[in-house]
Amino acid sequence: MGQQLSLRPPSLCMHSLTCAVAADTIRILVATDSHVGYNERDAIRGNDSSNSFHEVMCLAKTRDVDMVLLAGDLFHDNKPSRKSMYEVMRSLRMNCYGEKPCELEMLSDPSECFQGYFCGNFLLNIRGLPKRSTFNHVNYEDPDINVAIPVFSIHGNHDDPSGEGHLAALDLLQISGLVNYYGRTPESDNILIKPVLLQKGGTKLALYGMSNVRDERLFRTFRDGKVKFFQPGTQKGDWFNIMSVHQNHHAYTDTGYLPENFLPEFLDLVVWGHEHECLIDPRYNPEMNFHVMQPGSSVATSLMPGEAVPKHVAILSVTGRDFKVETIRLKTVRPFVMKEIILSEDKEAKKWAKTENHRPKLTAHLVSIVDRLIEQAKEEWMETQEETDLDEELEAPLPLVRLRVEYSAPDGGNFDCENPQRFSNRFVGKVANVNDVVQFYRKKTGAARNAQGGAELPEESIMAQLSIDSVKVEKLVREFLSAQSLTILPQNSFGDAVSLFVDKDDKHAMELFVNESLTNQIKNLLNIDQYDEDDILAAMDEHKSKLEELFAKGHLRKSKKAKLKPKPDNWDSDIDGDWGDQPGALVHSDVEDAVDDMDDAASLAATVTAARGRGRAAPKKAVVATKRAPPAAPKTARGRKKVVEESEEEEDDVVMVDPDEDDNELFVKPATATRGGRKPAASKAAAAPKRAPARAAATQSKLNFSQPASQVSGKGKGKTAPAISDEISDDDDEAFAPPPPSAKSIRAKR
């Protein structure tokens, strides 16, 4: 009796095949440059970046992807605000946590891929308590949380690590179990890139990542062969290799970018971050035999042509060594249209070039163009919302509009253009960028201009196209400093300090750079035994050139982060502001760090605390004792409780001006010898300690008015100043005496 075969219906066979393919397919949502927190203080555009990021994460959940890949710049600032951090954490928890099991299997050593920050002295290993853990494992394998969709991210140039511990905002997200932060580059001159090895069914995925490194330095590191890629030890041909980078893609300068041919040939796909123009469709590089995908940003951070391209994300499906890409246009992105016109070629405008009083006509013509751009932006935005529920009434958000106008007139003519700020303000309530709707520029052809020193400046046509939105700070500094003749300050280090000040919001970067440069020049001149005064400039210029050469070779570190004094215990950042913004918080030298650390910090904190006065009586005016002045006519200064240093007679004489007294009434610190056997009533800060003679520059001495009342004593009068009030009793007129003259000269002091 023959065996009877049962055949499945065709629909069941196709369903089984689809399930088999899905079991071996890794679906990855790819995005980059979310810039959460960009322009968050703007009343109109403040939520644009967080709305776009939330849409991206909602797409990951609704499309049921296996993982999310972010290629840098999740935050717009490396110190994101509480609002930005809250929005990101909220969106990640809403869309990435869940009961659905993650089907990805981790094959590599997670401690090598997610090496986190470890502070050896932060906590003590106490007997009986669990040992410290740095949570160096992938988050979906954590037994304490349920992660359905893991997020893998590198850092960019905006959210890079900084400060004590070299921590990034992504470190906070990783330690909380929301993000897997990989691709760290702790050493920019010796980079080791190890992949995150994942597997789903029969598909093996090697995920490489290299977080942002300064482009010029990274170029040099690749050129010197100091970048090493690691590959799986077995079955190298079975892995699909993806790499995420966050560098300049185009050659803005000779070394200010990452060439594609620097990357290894075994890669299959490169996800390129940092460039905001959306080129989402993979482009094949025949020389290197891999594809390059540039997702672009999800929010417009500048009004440039590249930002006007529609924003997309992609779902990458990897099966074995094959992949396919599905692009998705974002719907929450604010519409942005841009147009450029040349008035000399415009039919309506060119006839006004040789007429007088044509500004109203020209302005009306440009206003009509902007109105058409506004309507165009609204129509394009409505087209992207076609799949939305028809019952829901949609209202297009205020668009971003940029009109670039080239107003060079023909010979004998002139275009009288309105002020761009006044012109832009005509569209309040119609556009989101009410201050920069129009951009006027003029093109000129001719020989390059020469500066006073003989250095050539860029042509005006090039300078007109330079925009703060499109040019890096280093490039601007290089363009303008090339026309200067710097003698003391190294030019390349100058650009690095300006970049820290602008991009990283390091408020003390320029001050530290100037002080360090001056100190180096002084040390160099002091080491010269014999020299003529005419040779000083030559010696300084030679030393500057050496510093520039060392910086270019990478032997000198980038500008150091500002070192701050410890924040006082009674300092409230929400009321008093950031401690790092205070002038007294910066450490100018190692000597000052050792001597004035606690006194200056406590004095500044006490002044601010008394000023804000939480429910306390207003502090009385600080009046210091004796009104006797030295024989010589002293200098005067204005300002409440302002402390200055008198450098003409004694090294550490401290004078203070009472705003209620006459400007000539000066007060000096107590003398070491007292009159009539009376002990001097001096605070700890008033008795300034002696400085080392080798100190490079004299620092400003300060009086501390926050000492307890027990430290301020009169002559048996029984009067004590309140501990809260910054007051010294003026009844004891003879508590202080003029100091004896000092034999030290100012030359020795310096």
Side-chain angles (χ1 to χ4, degrees), residues 253-268:
T253 61
D254 294 338
T255 60
Y257 74 110
L258 175 62
E260 293 183 4
N261 56 12
F262 277 9
L263 302 177
E265 297 182 358
F266 65 80
L267 296 176
D268 297 295

Side-chain angles (χ1 to χ4, degrees), residues 33-173:
D33 291 271
S34 299
H35 285 275
V36 177
Y38 169 74
N39 213 5
E40 63 181 345
R41 297 184 181 273
D42 188 273
I44 301 175
R45 305 164 61 185
N47 296 324
D48 287 1
S49 58
S50 58
N51 290 341
S52 299
F53 176 74
H54 185 61
E55 181 186 2
V56 172
M57 300 312 303
C58 289
L59 286 173
K61 184 176 182 179
T62 56
R63 297 301 185 100
D64 193 25
V65 299
D66 294 303
M67 57 177 283
V68 177
L69 179 61
L70 304 178
D73 279 354
L74 172 58
F75 294 99
H76 186 69
D77 192 355
N78 62 356
K79 295 180 289 185
S81 65
R82 298 175 187 175
K83 177 185 176 182
S84 299
M85 185 65 72
Y86 170 81
E87 293 292 344
V88 169
M89 298 179 74
R90 180 180 66 90
S91 183
L92 290 173
R93 285 200 60 179
M94 288 176 59
N95 298 285
C96 297
Y97 283 6
E99 297 295 334
K100 187 194 81 167
C102 182
E103 301 181 27
L104 298 176
E105 181 183 1
M106 184 78 175
L107 301 181
S108 56
D109 184 0
S111 63
E112 295 184 354
C113 305
F114 310 112
Q115 65 273 25
Y117 168 69
F118 182 82
C119 181
N121 296 324
F122 184 70
L123 288 175
L124 296 177
N125 286 328
I126 304 176
R127 183 178 300 176
L129 296 180
K131 292 185 177 181
R132 292 166 293 178
S133 174
T134 52
F135 298 97
N136 289 334
H137 56 261
V138 69
N139 63 345
Y140 63 83
E141 292 184 354
D142 194 315
D144 299 324
I145 55 178
N146 293 327
V147 177
I149 304 176
V151 178
F152 294 84
S153 178
I154 62 175
H155 76 251
N157 61 309
H158 280 264
D159 54 2
D160 57 335
S162 63
E164 184 178 358
H166 204 60
L167 291 172
L170 291 178
D171 283 297
L172 304 181
L173 297 180

Side-chain angles (χ1 to χ4, degrees), residues 635-653:
K635 298 182 180 180
T636 62
R638 299 185 182 273
R640 186 173 183 84
K641 295 183 182 178
K642 183 173 181 181
V643 183
V644 298
E645 183 174 355
E646 183 176 344
S647 59
E648 295 182 356
E649 296 187 2
E650 187 173 352
E651 178 180 1
D652 289 322
D653 290 352

Side-chain angles (χ1 to χ4, degrees), residues 14-41:
M14 294 298 297
H15 178 71
S16 301
L17 180 60
T18 303
C19 293
V21 173
D24 295 332
T25 301
I26 302 178
R27 290 167 50 83
I28 309 171
L29 189 142
V30 181
T32 183
D33 291 271
S34 299
H35 285 275
V36 177
Y38 169 74
N39 213 5
E40 63 181 345
R41 297 184 181 273

Side-chain angles (χ1 to χ4, degrees), residues 85-351:
M85 185 65 72
Y86 170 81
E87 293 292 344
V88 169
M89 298 179 74
R90 180 180 66 90
S91 183
L92 290 173
R93 285 200 60 179
M94 288 176 59
N95 298 285
C96 297
Y97 283 6
E99 297 295 334
K100 187 194 81 167
C102 182
E103 301 181 27
L104 298 176
E105 181 183 1
M106 184 78 175
L107 301 181
S108 56
D109 184 0
S111 63
E112 295 184 354
C113 305
F114 310 112
Q115 65 273 25
Y117 168 69
F118 182 82
C119 181
N121 296 324
F122 184 70
L123 288 175
L124 296 177
N125 286 328
I126 304 176
R127 183 178 300 176
L129 296 180
K131 292 185 177 181
R132 292 166 293 178
S133 174
T134 52
F135 298 97
N136 289 334
H137 56 261
V138 69
N139 63 345
Y140 63 83
E141 292 184 354
D142 194 315
D144 299 324
I145 55 178
N146 293 327
V147 177
I149 304 176
V151 178
F152 294 84
S153 178
I154 62 175
H155 76 251
N157 61 309
H158 280 264
D159 54 2
D160 57 335
S162 63
E164 184 178 358
H166 204 60
L167 291 172
L170 291 178
D171 283 297
L172 304 181
L173 297 180
Q174 171 164 303
I175 204 68
S176 60
L178 296 170
V179 165
N180 299 294
Y181 175 24
Y182 77 109
R184 291 176 170 87
T185 52
E187 298 180 59
S188 58
D189 55 353
N190 185 25
I191 301 176
L192 304 178
I193 302 178
K194 300 180 180 180
V196 179
L197 303 180
L198 304 172
Q199 181 174 359
K200 179 183 177 183
T203 300
K204 298 180 176 63
L205 177 67
L207 186 62
Y208 293 84
M210 182 178 64
S211 295
N212 177 263
V213 180
R214 185 178 178 184
D215 291 290
E216 291 79 7
R217 179 161 295 184
L218 182 63
F219 189 98
R220 182 173 61 251
T221 305
F222 267 102
R223 184 190 59 195
D224 296 342
K226 297 297 183 63
V227 181
K228 184 177 181 180
F229 288 81
F230 291 79
Q231 290 184 261
T234 58
Q235 301 175 341
K236 294 183 179 180
D238 296 340
W239 294 88
F240 186 84
N241 303 287
I242 302 179
M243 183 171 184
S244 300
V245 298
H246 193 95
Q247 304 293 150
N248 282 338
H249 201 178
H250 306 289
Y252 299 103
T253 61
D254 294 338
T255 60
Y257 74 110
L258 175 62
E260 293 183 4
N261 56 12
F262 277 9
L263 302 177
E265 297 182 358
F266 65 80
L267 296 176
D268 297 295
L269 178 66
V270 179
V271 179
W272 210 290
H274 186 61
E275 300 287 352
H276 283 204
E277 183 178 3
C278 182
L279 303 174
I280 196 70
D281 295 322
R283 175 183 54 83
Y284 179 68
N285 186 332
E287 178 186 358
M288 304 305 299
N289 196 29
F290 55 63
H291 289 79
V292 179
M293 174 193 294
Q294 184 175 302
S297 65
S298 58
V299 63
T301 60
S302 61
L303 302 180
M304 300 300 297
E307 297 279 16
V309 179
K311 306 293 186 181
H312 291 78
V313 295
I315 294 181
L316 175 67
S317 299
V318 180
T319 306
R321 294 296 304 274
D322 300 325
F323 74 96
K324 63 178 182 179
V325 175
E326 176 189 359
T327 61
I328 304 173
R329 182 169 180 177
L330 299 177
K331 298 180 180 180
T332 58
V333 178
R334 187 177 296 275
F336 174 32
V337 291
M338 184 173 181
K339 185 177 182 178
E340 182 173 358
I341 64 172
I342 301 175
L343 293 182
S344 60
E345 300 177 1
D346 187 270
K347 294 181 180 180
E348 295 291 334
K350 64 181 181 181
K351 60 185 179 182

